[in-house]
Amino acid sequence: MSPKNTTAKSRLSISDFINDSRVIKDLGNLKKTFDTAQGGRPLVVSDVLDTEGHQYVNLVQKGGGVFGIALVGYTYVLEEMGIRFLRLAGTSAGAINTALITVIKNKQDKKSAEVLQAICDLDFFSLVDGHPAARWLIRKFITKKNFVGKVKNWVLFLLGFFVLLIIGDVALMGLRAKFPALSAWAGACFILSGFWSLLIGMGVSYVFNLLKRLKTSGFGINPGDVFYDWVKKLLLDNNVATVSDLNKKAQTCPPLKLRVHNECGIDDLKGDVTFIASELVTQNKIQFPAMCHLFSTDADTMPPAGFIRASMSIPVFFESYMINDIPYSDNRIITAWNSFFHNTAPPSTARFVDGGILSNFPISIFYNASIPIPRLPSFGIDLDDAGPGDKGENAFNWSLTGYLGRMFNTIRNYYDKDFLLKNEVYQKGVGKVDLSDDKYNWLNFFLSDQDKIDMFAKGAQAACEFLQTFDWDTYKSNRTALQKQLTK
């Protein structure tokens, strides 16, 4: 079957994003704040610089479906302010922007224009490549934030109307003996009840068939093939065909120097990239490409696009990403598994779902206990889509969906939250994008052009607010104090 066309039907351009009045205003005010020629203070966010004066940070990007557009707005502002990224990590949607920032051009170059072009060229709804009924369902219901409530209202309407028809049948059948004129109405109501019963029966049967199909199709509504092909093409367009190509892109840095002396020097500083995925067979968090040798004796036989597809495997929405025919009896594979997961036998097949199940904001991978005084900070982009109702502390007021949502968020966020609680200084490098507006839904792959621009602008605004308040000296001293405390 030929791949579906992913070209966007809209006429969005890069300028629609970066020339939005909100973006221009926020970025203009930010540049004025740090314009030393006009009395502003210098922007200092790191002690690691290149020869062109760019400042380097590590960057982690949170997952969040189509909210990934906001991540691009955030990184656009960072790039415009001369900030570049040494080490990168991301989960799910965060993995997409992480991948593009890694492979496009060189590390010292701006990447946002090319990332925005990829967004402009993409028809988001083409990524919903499942059964036509599933596409209809997603378009009609899941594109709304409160899609569960909308489905519930439809179900209640169908059942309520059916109950009214049954009541009508009983009433009219009893009354037609006294009022013969009602016989025609009774017959019509009876026929309508039969038709409605058949309709509901067909609907229930179809749902059961879809559930059976889920099992045979990796428990996902959409195969995810279009998404995989899109990512693969973007990587190939930037000369990344193998894991070696990906690592080379991530690691290649321009000459670096330190703003101030640091006893650790810069010789050990190098770039890398990490995509988080959740492996279900062995129930482990997997970091690609670092853990490629768990699944193959030759990493270059593994497609880099698969790492992003594995990280983006939203449960039920997308099919699981599979790695088959793992040489699990090979001593090299066995040794690799034992080095990461003690006493865990290698699987013959690995099954991956969204990395956000275990670590949706993997900032902990940048922690380095051997560095007493940090040379550069770890920045993080957090996506906050919790609506006002979701934030209610009164547990008795929660709906069933609110209850289930909180339970799921507790599970998926606790690993990262636990790290931030124990290492609070890292929180100072995290900026939060507010996406709690009721019109936004992270699974809405049928976004309007204006929604995309709005999300980008919100990301840009969040980055501007973050840089206005970030204090590198405070971050560095707090991180140094934490390290001394841990050493004691």
Side-chain angles (χ1 to χ4, degrees):
M1 185 177 69
S2 60
K4 297 180 181 179
N5 183 16
T6 59
T7 302
K9 296 178 181 178
S10 68
R11 295 187 178 181
L12 270 180
S13 66
I14 297 171
S15 63
D16 292 324
F17 291 93
I18 63 176
N19 290 329
D20 179 84
S21 60
R22 294 161 295 180
V23 176
I24 292 175
K25 179 182 176 181
D26 290 338
L27 187 56
N29 290 336
L30 183 67
K31 288 182 176 180
K32 185 177 180 180
T33 299
F34 297 107
D35 187 351
T36 56
Q38 298 187 30
R41 68 182 191 271
L43 176 64
V44 180
V45 300
S46 172
D47 286 340
V48 179
L49 300 90
D50 62 23
T51 54
E52 298 177 12
H54 300 124
Q55 303 183 71
Y56 284 77
V57 303
N58 298 327
L59 181 68
V60 61
Q61 301 182 67
K62 191 175 185 179
V66 297
F67 291 163
I69 299 172
L71 299 174
V72 183
Y74 198 106
T75 54
Y76 166 72
V77 168
L78 296 185
E79 287 186 337
E80 287 297 306
M81 297 306 294
I83 298 170
R84 301 293 184 263
F85 315 112
L86 186 68
R87 303 180 63 198
L88 288 143
T91 299
S92 196
I96 302 172
N97 198 32
T98 293
L100 296 182
I101 291 175
T102 300
V103 304
I104 291 171
K105 295 183 177 178
N106 300 310
K107 199 170 285 289
Q108 65 269 32
D109 297 322
K110 295 179 183 179
K111 323 291 186 76
S112 297
E114 287 76 10
V115 177
L116 285 172
Q117 189 61 60
I119 291 174
C120 293
D121 292 342
L122 175 65
D123 175 8
F124 276 47
F125 200 59
S126 70
L127 304 182
V128 184
D129 55 353
H131 191 275
R135 291 172 60 84
W136 176 86
L137 179 70
I138 290 168
R139 190 166 184 169
K140 290 295 183 182
F141 294 97
I142 298 181
T143 53
K144 305 299 181 183
K145 184 159 189 175
N146 186 26
F147 65 89
V148 174
K150 190 173 182 181
V151 171
K152 182 178 72 173
N153 291 337
W154 269 81
V155 171
L156 289 176
F157 168 76
L158 292 173
L159 293 178
F161 190 62
F162 179 67
V163 170
L164 288 176
L165 287 174
I166 297 300
I167 294 173
D169 285 339
V170 174
L172 290 172
M173 288 292 287
L175 290 173
R176 70 175 183 173
K178 265 191 172 183
F179 306 99
L182 293 177
S183 296
W185 285 98
C189 189
F190 183 77
I191 293 172
L192 187 58
S193 298
F195 172 76
W196 207 254
S197 299
L198 179 63
L199 190 66
I200 291 176
M202 290 174 62
V204 171
S205 175
Y206 190 71
V207 168
F208 276 105
N209 285 332
L210 285 179
L211 291 175
K212 289 180 180 178
R213 288 180 57 142
L214 278 177
K215 183 176 181 180
T216 59
S217 61
F219 291 104
I221 296 173
N222 301 291
D225 295 336
V226 172
F227 174 74
Y228 175 88
D229 292 338
W230 176 68
V231 172
K232 181 179 179 180
K233 182 179 184 303
L234 289 173
L235 296 184
L236 290 175
D237 288 345
N238 289 280
N239 302 313
V240 173
T242 66
V243 174
S244 294
D245 295 335
L246 177 64
N247 285 330
K248 183 178 179 181
K249 277 276 191 177
Q251 294 169 5
T252 302
C253 296
L256 300 175
K257 62 181 180 179
L258 288 171
R259 184 194 308 275
V260 297
H261 173 74
N262 189 303
E263 63 183 32
C264 293
I266 60 172
D267 291 342
D268 66 319
L269 287 177
K270 66 177 183 178
D272 62 27
V273 64
T274 301
F275 310 110
I276 304 296
S278 304
E279 204 286 304
L280 298 184
V281 177
T282 61
Q283 301 174 48
N284 285 303
K285 181 181 80 170
I286 302 299
Q287 297 176 191
F288 287 119
M291 295 184 179
C292 281
H293 54 290
L294 295 175
F295 309 99
S296 175
T297 56
D298 181 3
D300 281 340
T301 62
M302 302 179 68
F307 307 154
I308 297 96
R309 171 65 177 84
S311 185
M312 187 67 177
S313 297
I314 302 168
V316 181
F317 192 88
F318 282 125
E319 293 180 13
S320 304
Y321 181 75
M322 312 289 284
I323 295 180
N324 300 309
D325 302 321
I326 300 170
Y328 62 93
S329 60
D330 190 297
N331 285 331
R332 290 168 292 181
I333 299 293
I334 295 172
T335 301
W337 275 90
N338 281 326
S339 68
F340 281 107
F341 310 110
H342 186 58
N343 291 330
T344 299
S348 59
T349 297
R351 183 173 202 156
F352 298 92
V353 294
D354 197 299
I357 296 297
L358 294 176
S359 182
N360 204 36
F361 191 55
I363 197 168
S364 60
I365 68 172
F366 295 141
Y367 177 74
N368 188 345
S370 65
I371 304 297
I373 302 176
R375 296 159 293 183
L376 72 169
S378 294
F379 280 1
I381 311 175
D382 189 8
L383 302 174
D384 180 17
D385 66 332
D390 299 329
K391 295 178 180 178
E393 299 300 328
N394 188 342
F396 294 101
N397 292 337
W398 296 343
S399 64
L400 175 61
T401 54
Y403 165 74
L404 294 175
R406 278 181 173 260
M407 183 169 62
F408 177 68
N409 285 336
T410 299
I411 296 169
R412 74 186 183 121
N413 291 329
Y414 190 77
Y415 180 86
D416 302 318
K417 183 179 179 181
D418 183 55
F419 172 81
L420 289 172
L421 288 172
K422 293 175 179 176
N423 302 272
E424 192 173 352
V425 63
Y426 281 84
Q427 190 69 55
K428 296 181 182 296
V430 177
K432 184 172 291 187
V433 185
D434 182 8
L435 293 163
S436 58
D437 193 303
D438 285 341
K439 72 176 183 177
Y440 294 126
N441 174 12
W442 68 288
L443 283 179
N444 183 6
F445 284 82
F446 199 66
L447 287 172
S448 69
D449 289 347
Q450 190 58 51
D451 284 339
K452 295 174 185 177
I453 295 170
D454 289 346
M455 284 187 189
F456 179 87
K458 282 179 174 288
Q461 178 187 30
C464 291
E465 292 174 351
F466 170 76
L467 289 179
Q468 291 275 10
T469 59
F470 179 74
D471 188 322
W472 166 236
D473 288 333
T474 300
Y475 180 100
K476 185 164 57 171
S477 62
N478 288 352
R479 173 70 178 82
T480 302
L482 173 65
Q483 188 57 39
K484 287 181 179 179
Q485 181 180 357
L486 293 175
T487 302
K488 290 180 180 179

